[in-house]
Structures are given as structure tokens and as C-alpha cells.
Amino acid sequence: MRRVRPGAASRGSAERALTSVAAGTAYESDPHQPRAADAGEGRDAEPTETPRLWHVTLSVSGKEAPLDEVRRGLEQLAHDHPFLLTSRYAPDHAEIRYWEEARDLHDAAAVALRLWGEHRQSARLPPWEIVGLEVIGRDTYHQRIAEGYGPLPATPVGVHPF
């Protein structure tokens, strides 16, 4: 995650800036100072927040592109980032599904919203825009699957046409 000063605009947006996560007691700001945990302090402190898994579905759409180029771009994206579970595509839209490890929903969504644009050149993806984003927690994902609704399990894994 890109870190910025609190309140600084992110890519021209003055509405909500991404901020860094507080380092907590596990971070050594001065390596010569003993950590609070080593000095016997902070034993009753709250446990540090651990990342959780989020199921992400990113939908993109735009002007038609040749199917073989769309497939090749999605395969390159999956090769560069093996966390991708499955991608489905058509000449004018695609859907990417994967698991993201993040502290909270805001962080997972921020990473997802940057995925397509940041890898458009390296994977030679079509110049499409993001038209949909769903980010749900692991428990919610499994609850939906158990109840027979929600996003179908990402099988088969890989890049496939709609």
C-alpha cells in the first residue's frame, strides 16, 4: 500500500486520502532503544491488528478489444500476480476474482481499485475502466456459498471466456 501523509490527496482526489497504518509496538523506530515488550511494558496491551482475508471481485468494461489480446493480458496479469483466482472475459468486459490480505475493507478495496490501472501497461491490458467492485470478508464469502447464493466458488481457476 502506498503511504501518504494523513490528509494528503491521493491522485488528485481531495475526498479521501489513503493513509499509512500505525506501526504499533512491534515497530522499532529507534533500534538502540529497547522495545516496550522487551522492557516488560505493554503486556496487557491490545493485541496488534492482524490482516484478514477479503474476497475481491473486480469488474472492468470498455471499448471492444480482440479476444486473444484480452486473454493474453489477463494471463500475463495472473502470471505476474499469482494471487488471482480466476478471470472471465469478453470482448468488452472482464471480471477478476481473488483473495486479498488486508487490515480492513478499506485497504482491500484501495488495492483492488489500483490493480487494473497499475498493471495496464505491464500486462498490456485494454484501456477499460473499473465498473464494479465487491469486497467481502472470508466469513461472509463462505456463508454465501453454504447458503447457495453469492459468488460461485472460483472454479475452474484460471482465465476463461464468459
Side-chain angles (χ1 to χ4, degrees):
M1 177 175 195
R2 186 173 73 93
R3 295 180 180 197
V4 297
R5 291 185 329 273
S10 174
R11 298 183 192 232
S13 170
E15 291 180 18
R16 182 170 189 268
L18 296 176
T19 59
S20 62
V21 178
T25 59
Y27 176 74
E28 295 181 40
S29 59
D30 183 355
H32 303 295
Q33 292 289 334
R35 289 179 23 201
D38 295 339
E41 300 172 20
R43 291 184 191 192
D44 296 327
E46 293 286 323
T48 57
E49 206 171 316
T50 58
R52 296 182 289 173
L53 284 177
W54 301 90
H55 186 267
V56 176
T57 304
L58 182 69
S59 300
V60 294
S61 181
K63 187 177 175 184
E64 280 196 23
L67 273 179
D68 57 335
E69 289 181 23
V70 175
R71 180 180 180 88
R72 188 218 34 80
L74 290 171
E75 286 174 344
Q76 183 64 47
L77 182 62
H79 179 267
D80 293 345
H81 299 280
F83 58 82
L84 296 179
L85 291 176
T86 188
S87 297
R88 299 187 306 165
Y89 64 94
D92 62 347
H93 65 282
E95 177 184 271
I96 300 168
R97 297 174 59 196
Y98 65 96
W99 287 98
E100 180 67 58
E101 186 177 60
R103 179 187 59 149
D104 59 22
L105 182 133
H106 290 109
D107 288 349
V111 170
L113 289 170
R114 291 192 312 259
L115 179 71
W116 189 263
E118 287 182 356
H119 298 286
R120 187 177 293 150
Q121 273 192 318
S122 63
R124 295 192 311 231
L125 297 165
W128 295 342
E129 68 177 333
I130 296 171
V131 296
L133 174 65
E134 180 184 54
V135 180
I136 58 174
R138 184 176 185 225
D139 293 340
T140 302
Y141 175 83
H142 289 294
Q143 179 183 0
R144 284 184 179 183
I145 299 304
E147 292 175 357
Y149 68 96
L152 297 174
T155 18
V157 172
V159 178
H160 306 281
F162 271 103

